[in-house]
Amino acid sequence: MRGGLSEEADEPAIRRRLAELQLDHNDLDVAIQAIGQAPTPDMLVIGRLKRKKLALKDDIQRIKNRLTPDIIA
């Protein structure tokens, strides 16, 4: 892990990346719902989008954990 100063300087960039990932995650959710409502939904595409959405969720959580300071109890 890097030092505190450079990590603090990177925080705005990290927050921007987090916002981008959250937007992508929401866009995938809308796409999955739209494809699912088709008369004959393409389950292969839906599965692929769901896996991508899950990977984005993992990335989002990783960034949130990075932004949350470690608290020693």
Side-chain angles (χ1 to χ4, degrees), residues 4-33:
L5 274 179
S6 62
E7 196 165 304
E8 287 175 13
D10 290 341
E11 187 172 336
I14 294 169
R15 290 194 183 278
R16 280 192 302 276
R17 179 67 180 145
L18 177 60
E20 289 172 4
L21 291 174
Q22 289 172 327
L23 183 61
D24 290 346
H25 186 268
N26 291 337
D27 289 346
L28 282 173
D29 194 36
V30 170
I32 291 167
Q33 289 177 6

Side-chain angles (χ1 to χ4, degrees), residues 29-48:
D29 194 36
V30 170
I32 291 167
Q33 289 177 6
I35 294 170
Q37 292 176 354
T40 54
D42 189 340
M43 298 310 289
L44 186 62
V45 172
I46 290 175
R48 191 176 324 129

Side-chain angles (χ1 to χ4, degrees), residues 1 3-4 8 10 12-13 20 23-25 27 29 34 37 41-42 46 49-50 52 54 57 59 67-68 70-72:
M1 188 168 260
E8 287 175 13
D10 290 341
E20 289 172 4
L23 183 61
D24 290 346
H25 186 268
D27 289 346
D29 194 36
Q37 292 176 354
D42 189 340
I46 290 175
L49 293 176
K50 283 185 175 184
K52 188 172 183 178
L54 185 58
K57 183 179 176 184
D59 290 343
L67 290 172
T68 305
D70 292 334
I71 298 174
I72 300 172

